[in-house]
């Protein structure tokens, strides 16, 4: 919440996931806990194997690719995988605290779903991200519009093999979403995005207070992520730099092709809201040409304001009768396309 407020977002709502105590059996030196994501506090995770209580270290990488010390267990709290060293006796139990993100998301949406613009989660757990996407899609069907923000992974050992599981304008995926201390930057990103609103894209904007990243991406890695509709975060001395504003819409997604950018999704949602609000006022009015003209004029007035703010570059509004008691409103908008590149040429000795 502090990170989001620092970036200019207001108001900010947050729900802490409920902590659930779980006990699992341990049957091998590597495995996966049944209820991830779990607490990232090592004190909340206790492995007892062969009568020995192991020392727990929470990691963001894949534990099976790392080597635990004697009587140590490495645990990835995001996906619940672990790797332990306990000699030849590798049977035992583990007690840990699981985090119920799904109930937290439901509580947030139940309380404030009608006013939320962006919803993010601190964990990059794949199932939790998928659940959040399903929730915002359900909100859309009810006329409440929000964009989900998720991290691709706590750490990608091989960026080039990553495949984005989403193809939707309702979710944006970022990487990396951890700073140099391993702490989530989701609050900073959502704060930046919400603070900008429809006035600008977060492209090439910095996350204040986030000076180092857990994974510093090469140019080739950033290009590979962009091809998978993941927004790369670049590590620079001046601070973490957001490189793009993509949703996860693919080039084959004809239905949502115009909303490949987050700002286009946001503007389109706003237009839908003002169209519905203006139309609702005319429910109960006589179905006349003058009433339809008045509705069309009201919507056009709202769209002219968006045009003056450069949020859209053009629009069309049609209000037509369907039957003696029903009318149809058709609104089309041309959303703004963020400037993606500037080619600068500096030549010595040529002054005009």
């Amino acid at each position: 919440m502090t990170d989001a407020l620092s970036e200019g977002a207001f108001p900010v709502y947050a729900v802490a996931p409920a902590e659930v105590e779980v006990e699992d059996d341990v049957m091998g030196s590597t495995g996966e806990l049944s209820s991830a994501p779990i607490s990232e506090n090592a004190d909340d995770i206790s492995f007892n194997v062969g009568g020995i209580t192991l020392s727990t270290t929470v990691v963001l990488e894949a534990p099976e690719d790392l080597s635990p010390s004697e009587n140590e267990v490495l645990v990835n709290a995001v996906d619940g995988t672990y790797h332990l060293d306990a000699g030849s006796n590798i049977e035992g139990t583990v007690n840990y605290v699981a985090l119920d993100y799904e109930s937290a998301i439901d509580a947030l949406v139940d309380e404030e779903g009608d006013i939320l613009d962006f919803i993010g989660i601190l964990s990059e757990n794949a199932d939790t991200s998928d659940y959040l996407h399903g929730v915002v899609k359900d909100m859309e069907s009810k006329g409440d519009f929000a964009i989900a923000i998720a991290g691709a992974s706590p750490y990608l050992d091989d960026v080039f093999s990553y495949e984005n599981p989403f193809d939707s304008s309702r979710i944006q995926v970022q990487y990396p979403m951890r700073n140099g201390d391993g702490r989530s930057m989701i609050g900073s990103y959502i704060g930046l995005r919400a603070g900008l609103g429809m006035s600008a894209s977060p492209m090439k904007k910095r996350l204040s207070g986030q000076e180092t990243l857990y994974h510093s991406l090469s140019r080739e890695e950033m290009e590979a992520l962009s091809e998978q509709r993941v927004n790369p975060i670049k590590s620079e001395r001046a601070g973490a730099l957001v490189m793009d504003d993509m949703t996860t819409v693919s080039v084959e997604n004809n239905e949502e092709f115009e909303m490949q950018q987050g700002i286009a999704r946001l503007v389109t949602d706003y237009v839908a809201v003002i169209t519905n609000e203006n139309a609702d006022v005319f429910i109960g009015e006589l179905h006349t040409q003058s009433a339809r003209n008045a509705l069309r004029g009201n919507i056009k007035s709202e769209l002219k304001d968006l045009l003056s703010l450069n949020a859209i570059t053009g629009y069309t509004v049609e209000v037509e009768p369907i039957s003696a008691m029903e009318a149809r409103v058709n609104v089309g908008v041309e959303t703004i396309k963020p400037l993606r590149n500037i080619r600068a040429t500096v030549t010595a000795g040529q002054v005009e």
Side-chain angles (χ1 to χ4, degrees):
M1 289 186 71
T2 302
D3 289 344
L5 290 167
S6 297
E7 288 286 358
F10 185 83
V12 177
Y13 301 91
V15 178
E19 298 183 346
V20 182
E21 294 186 1
V22 182
E23 179 176 308
D24 284 347
D25 291 329
V26 176
M27 302 298 293
S29 60
T30 61
E32 184 174 342
L33 303 177
S34 62
S35 302
I38 68 175
S39 169
E40 297 186 12
N41 183 354
D43 293 337
D44 292 333
I45 309 165
S46 178
F47 278 77
N48 191 292
V49 180
I52 299 173
T53 299
L54 306 183
S55 171
T56 302
T57 302
V58 175
V59 298
L60 298 180
E61 297 89 340
E64 61 268 25
D65 295 336
L66 304 174
S67 299
S69 302
E70 184 178 356
N71 293 331
E72 180 188 30
V73 57
L74 307 176
V75 182
N76 184 313
V78 174
D79 62 16
T81 55
Y82 62 83
H83 184 189
L84 60 84
D85 177 90
S88 58
N89 190 342
I90 50 177
E91 292 187 9
T93 59
V94 52
N95 295 87
Y96 59 95
V97 174
L99 302 179
D100 185 359
Y101 269 93
E102 293 184 4
S103 294
I105 293 169
D106 290 342
L108 180 65
V109 172
D110 288 344
E111 289 292 328
E112 306 293 349
D114 57 333
I115 61 173
L116 298 173
D117 293 315
F118 303 94
I119 308 176
I121 44 179
L122 294 179
S123 174
E124 298 91 343
N125 179 271
D127 291 338
T128 305
S129 298
D130 189 59
Y131 184 83
L132 175 60
H133 177 242
V135 168
V136 295
K137 290 290 289 183
D138 184 61
M139 291 171 62
E140 179 183 33
S141 68
K142 300 173 183 176
D144 295 328
F145 304 118
I147 299 175
I149 308 294
S153 170
Y155 180 78
L156 290 173
D157 182 58
D158 182 8
V159 169
F160 301 99
S161 65
Y162 177 81
E163 295 183 5
N164 195 331
F166 299 105
D167 183 1
S168 168
S169 66
R170 283 287 160 209
I171 186 167
Q172 292 185 289
V173 177
Q174 329 294 324
Y175 184 81
M177 268 285 93
R178 301 272 178 155
N179 61 21
D181 296 326
R183 182 170 166 268
S184 175
M185 302 189 299
I186 199 76
S188 294
Y189 182 85
I190 289 182
L192 171 68
R193 193 68 195 82
L196 290 172
M198 293 184 296
S199 64
S201 165
M203 189 186 302
K204 293 300 180 75
K205 303 291 191 301
R206 297 195 187 278
L207 302 178
S208 63
Q210 306 294 354
E211 297 176 357
T212 60
L213 301 183
Y214 194 81
H215 184 179
S216 182
L217 296 169
S218 67
R219 182 183 183 87
E220 292 75 19
E221 288 177 323
M222 286 190 284
E223 290 174 351
L225 288 172
S226 295
E227 289 178 1
Q228 286 295 318
R229 290 112 47 217
V230 174
N231 296 301
I233 310 294
K234 185 180 181 182
S235 180
E236 292 190 343
R237 289 184 178 181
L241 185 67
V242 179
M243 298 302 292
D244 213 328
D245 183 34
M246 292 179 289
T247 63
T248 61
V249 173
S250 69
V251 293
E252 293 84 12
N253 188 340
N254 295 325
E255 183 179 350
E256 297 186 291
F257 184 77
E258 290 297 327
M259 287 169 286
Q260 290 183 309
Q261 288 286 310
I263 193 169
R265 174 75 272 179
L266 192 64
V267 170
T268 304
D269 287 345
Y270 182 74
V271 171
V273 169
I274 63 176
T275 299
N276 291 331
E277 288 181 347
N278 278 280
D280 286 347
V281 175
F282 284 82
I283 299 297
E285 296 291 321
L286 295 178
H287 191 6
T288 62
Q289 183 64 53
S290 60
R292 294 194 297 272
N293 289 343
L295 172 56
R296 181 173 181 268
N298 288 355
I299 295 174
K300 286 183 66 176
S301 178
E302 299 263 19
L303 295 178
K304 284 179 181 178
D305 290 340
L306 287 180
L307 196 63
S308 65
L309 293 172
N310 293 321
I312 59 176
T313 57
Y315 63 85
T316 60
V317 182
E318 296 178 355
V319 183
E320 57 185 18
I322 299 176
S323 67
M325 298 178 62
E326 190 175 6
R328 176 188 292 116
V329 180
N330 296 319
V331 177
V333 293
E334 182 68 30
T335 56
I336 198 72
K337 302 295 188 293
L339 184 63
R340 299 184 64 82
N341 193 26
I342 296 177
R343 298 181 182 275
T345 301
V346 179
T347 305
Q350 295 186 17
V351 180
E352 296 181 2

